[in-house]
Amino acid sequence: MAETPETNKPDFRNGFPIRDLRDGSMISGRADGEELVLGRRGDEFFAIGAHCTHYGGPLVEGLIVGDTVRCPWHHACFSLLNGEPLRAPALDPVPCWRVERLGDKLFVREKLPPPAPKRGTESPSSVMIVGGGAAGLAGADMLRREGYDGPLTIVSADASPPVDRPNLSKDYLAGTAQEEWIPLRPSDYYRDRRIDLLLDSRVSSLDTKRRRIVLESGKALEFGALLLATGADPIRLPIEGATDSQLHYLRAFADSKAIIAKATSAKRVVVVGASFIGLEVAASLRARGILVDVVAPGSQPLERIMGAELGLFIRKLHEAHGVTFHLGETVSGVNGRAVTLTGGTVVDADFLVLGVGVRPSLALAEQAGLTIDRGILVNEYLETSVAGIFAAGDAARWPHPHTGERIRVEHWVVAERQGQVAARNILGRREKFDAVPFFWSQHYDVRINYVGHAEKWDAIEIDGSLDARDCAVAYKKGGRTLATVTISRDLRSLHAEAAMEAEIRSQKRDVA
Ligand SMILES: Cc1cc2nc3c(=O)[nH]c(=O)nc-3n(C[C@H](O)[C@H](O)[C@H](O)COP(=O)(O)OP(=O)(O)OC[C@H]3O[C@@H](n4cnc5c(N)ncnc54)[C@H](O)[C@@H]3O)c2cc1C
Ligand code: FES
């Protein structure tokens, strides 16, 4: 019988030569039928499950940083000591094994116990989270992981429990991800952790002095500490002649389902905006065999965020998959199926998807009198201008230690990590949010990873080849790399993240 690749892998129960494991490296193998990775840092050895608990990324292709391992796909960070998911997007631990060194060999022994539950605390008296998205769920999850035993409520305007929002424009919309994969947690998760999840419930006012929120239904709820994780809302464009049923936006699970419902009988769609979401929608609808016209005012897609070269690459990638671009134009009007562009072209479409950006959801924070500056202003601990009220995710603007600027981003991983740090700070930990921003975007079989933050740059350096889809693109200002985009170079992306983290640490030392 032919050997499978799995059976070719070393069985770590039988011993593995130390000399074959370089410092800082990892190798995959197995033990009792389970796939795992053996890693080395100096004279310390670790054995950890082979797959990331986010989307199953291969940890062996990741990076060891201190006593953590980083996932190559979307930069989740796990403890090598006990498998704890230290940083999102993974929310669940990976198993770890004890490693014994005997002579010049390493032996993987028994599985280690999972991360121990933290000692319980009931302070603050209760925690209210407004927003059932990335930051809200990750915050609630972390509060319970950190041993918070008090009342914990998530109030969400969404009709569905927290979902894997990035999937809504990717595999789910393309029809390759099942509906059951979309909720971030099953319903019994909330019951088991005593998280009161109020869905379809919009908070209409916040009284910071009396420490209470009021729902649109009129119900008032008091809180000890509050996390505002209200995210962002799609910008809505009035389009002359278009009916509401012709125009689609994409933020919630229901929006993705509505587009899919239309797509089942549609032949042509116009996507307005060449943003990440617009282009991911274009790719997913192409996967469904629908003809897609993208209309956008810029000269290249994504040029403002990633520069002209990458913009051209993205455009060619989509064109190769049959997308037609109408750049330097917008939609001037719709008449039935006829979509007229500002340049005079008329395009036939069953419906339109508008992906023209988002605005942070600030109404509640504004009404409550919190300090706002194009986002809810928070300090390095993610606390707003009112003590005990924190903000995280797309709605928050925070001091980014790498550049010293206050920034607001729309990245899944940042929102989750901020929710996690805010949760610990609600429990009094005084932890600074100093993670390096990261996001990814998927276009057909090309994943673009972006680490760092560069709103402006004076040089772009491309290492490798965009056409070969194998490159790292550095965005530099004054000779310093502010951000790096990679395609097919996941390890490079992790190294770029680690280098920026080291810079932040050394800046902190200089200040101290
Ligand atoms: C289709 C799509 C694809 C994406 N793909 C990627 C990707 O590939 N990579 C990436 O890095 N990022 C991606 N993003 C961005 C990412 O999803 C966001 O950055 C992230 O969801 C922000 O998390 P958040 O918790 O701040 O906000 P959200 O996840 O939007 O959650 C906000 C929550 O607040 C609720 N809310 C708002 N106001 C109120 C109120 N007054 N009362 C009660 N509830 C309220 C909303 O109902 C919602 O539940 C994508 C976004 C979309 C829409
Ligand atoms: S698969 Fe590991 S972070 Fe996404």
Side-chain angles (χ1 to χ4, degrees):
M1 199 177 82
E3 282 189 323
T4 62
E6 275 63 37
T7 54
N8 275 334
K9 289 185 177 161
D11 184 343
F12 295 139
R13 291 269 192 249
N14 298 335
F16 185 80
I18 293 176
R19 64 168 185 279
D20 291 350
L21 194 62
R22 279 182 300 105
D23 188 11
S25 73
M26 291 184 272
I27 183 157
S28 56
R30 62 201 162 91
D32 293 341
E34 285 193 73
E35 282 183 72
L36 55 95
V37 170
L38 196 56
R40 176 175 191 168
R41 191 191 55 162
D43 273 341
E44 287 180 278
F45 302 94
F46 310 93
I48 190 161
H51 299 287
C52 173
T53 52
H54 178 227
Y55 282 1
L59 292 181
V60 72
E61 293 170 24
L63 182 68
I64 293 180
V65 181
D67 51 16
T68 70
V69 60
R70 312 288 173 88
C71 175
W73 287 359
H74 317 106
H75 292 206
C77 170
F78 298 94
S79 164
L80 283 167
L81 307 176
N82 62 8
E84 190 179 349
L86 297 173
R87 281 200 233 154
L91 299 175
D92 293 308
V94 273
C96 282
W97 285 258
R98 185 169 70 84
V99 181
E100 190 175 11
R101 179 180 185 161
L102 282 179
D104 58 1
K105 282 194 169 174
L106 300 169
F107 292 83
V108 168
R109 303 299 194 198
E110 75 281 0
K111 236 181 213 175
L112 296 173
K118 306 261 168 48
R119 209 152 45 95
T121 169
E122 290 190 359
S123 171
S125 56
S126 66
V127 181
M128 181 71 62
I129 296 178
V130 182
L137 187 270
D141 188 78
M142 187 53 78
L143 281 162
R144 288 302 189 222
R145 265 170 61 189
E146 290 288 334
Y148 178 63
D149 277 337
L152 174 54
T153 307
I154 298 177
V155 188
S156 175
D158 285 354
S160 60
V163 293
D164 184 1
R165 217 177 284 292
N167 212 324
L168 300 181
S169 52
K170 303 180 182 68
D171 290 351
Y172 181 67
L173 187 60
T176 51
Q178 292 163 27
E179 184 143 349
E180 309 84 83
W181 301 351
I182 303 305
L184 286 174
R185 295 296 199 188
S187 54
D188 52 3
Y189 166 90
Y190 301 96
R191 190 197 56 224
D192 295 350
R193 282 167 183 71
R194 292 172 294 111
I195 299 171
D196 206 2
L197 183 60
L198 305 183
L199 296 176
D200 238 337
S201 307
R202 186 168 286 278
V203 179
S204 54
S205 70
L206 160 62
D207 184 334
T208 58
K209 291 212 170 59
R210 292 166 76 190
R211 299 257 163 196
R212 63 173 211 169
I213 55 168
V214 179
L215 309 186
E216 273 180 351
S217 64
K219 188 175 176 185
L221 298 165
E222 297 192 344
F223 61 83
L226 177 74
L227 172 59
L228 287 173
T230 48
D233 297 312
I235 294 172
R236 291 179 185 261
L237 279 187
I239 293 190
E240 207 182 304
T243 61
D244 283 350
S245 70
Q246 276 179 301
L247 301 184
H248 286 258
Y249 295 88
L250 180 51
R251 185 79 190 177
F253 199 6
D255 300 331
S256 191
K257 287 181 181 173
I259 296 173
I260 291 170
K262 281 277 182 71
T264 45
S265 59
K267 300 231 169 349
R268 297 195 70 124
V269 65
V270 164
V271 171
V272 183
S275 62
F276 286 109
I277 290 179
L279 293 175
E280 288 186 352
V281 167
S284 296
L285 294 181
R286 286 300 300 132
R288 289 179 176 269
I290 295 172
L291 290 173
V292 180
D293 288 86
V294 173
V295 183
S299 52
Q300 291 297 358
L302 304 173
E303 185 172 357
R304 190 178 54 79
I305 299 163
M306 298 198 301
E309 294 94 330
L310 256 157
L312 178 63
F313 163 75
I314 294 276
R315 176 182 166 176
K316 287 196 299 192
L317 175 66
H318 281 271
E319 283 173 343
H321 284 83
V323 173
T324 305
F325 282 90
H326 305 269
L327 296 171
E329 295 194 73
T330 54
V331 173
S332 61
V334 173
N335 184 0
R337 295 182 58 91
V339 179
T340 305
L341 310 188
T342 42
T345 311
V346 178
V347 183
D348 177 52
D350 293 279
F351 66 97
L352 294 86
V353 179
L354 281 74
V356 292
V358 296
R359 274 198 198 97
S361 308
L362 306 178
L364 196 58
E366 276 169 347
Q367 167 275 318
L370 301 180
T371 305
I372 304 283
D373 173 16
R374 296 159 294 148
I376 306 170
L377 215 58
V378 293
N379 62 16
E380 61 269 53
Y381 305 104
L382 303 177
E383 197 163 23
T384 67
S385 51
V386 174
I389 298 183
F390 293 78
D394 285 8
R397 182 174 290 274
W398 85 98
H400 175 35
H402 192 240
T403 60
E405 298 165 335
R406 287 182 182 276
I407 65 170
R408 189 188 70 76
V409 300
E410 290 143 16
H411 305 351
W412 180 256
V413 169
V414 171
E416 287 192 320
R417 290 178 178 179
Q418 288 193 340
Q420 295 180 323
V421 170
R424 286 197 284 265
N425 287 336
I426 283 172
L427 301 180
R429 303 288 154 77
R430 297 294 282 174
E431 178 181 323
K432 290 186 178 173
F433 180 76
D434 58 6
V436 174
F438 168 81
F439 76 86
W440 81 98
S441 184
Q442 186 79 36
H443 304 256
Y444 313 98
D445 55 347
V446 175
R447 177 164 35 83
I448 297 171
N449 278 10
Y450 183 110
V451 66
H453 183 78
E455 281 175 25
K456 292 195 180 94
W457 53 82
D458 52 35
I460 292 181
E461 283 174 15
I462 302 179
D463 175 20
S465 157
L466 276 165
D467 285 340
R469 300 176 184 186
D470 177 16
C471 62
V473 184
Y475 297 80
K476 295 190 161 188
K477 198 167 178 197
R480 188 169 170 234
T481 301
L482 299 182
T484 300
V485 164
T486 55
I487 297 172
S488 312
R489 291 197 183 180
D490 291 342
L491 198 53
R492 175 75 176 268
S493 178
L494 287 170
H495 276 293
E497 179 182 64
M500 286 182 220
E501 285 173 0
E503 269 189 66
I504 291 170
R505 275 197 304 275
S506 76
Q507 282 165 7
K508 275 193 200 156
R509 272 198 299 275
D510 290 348
V511 171

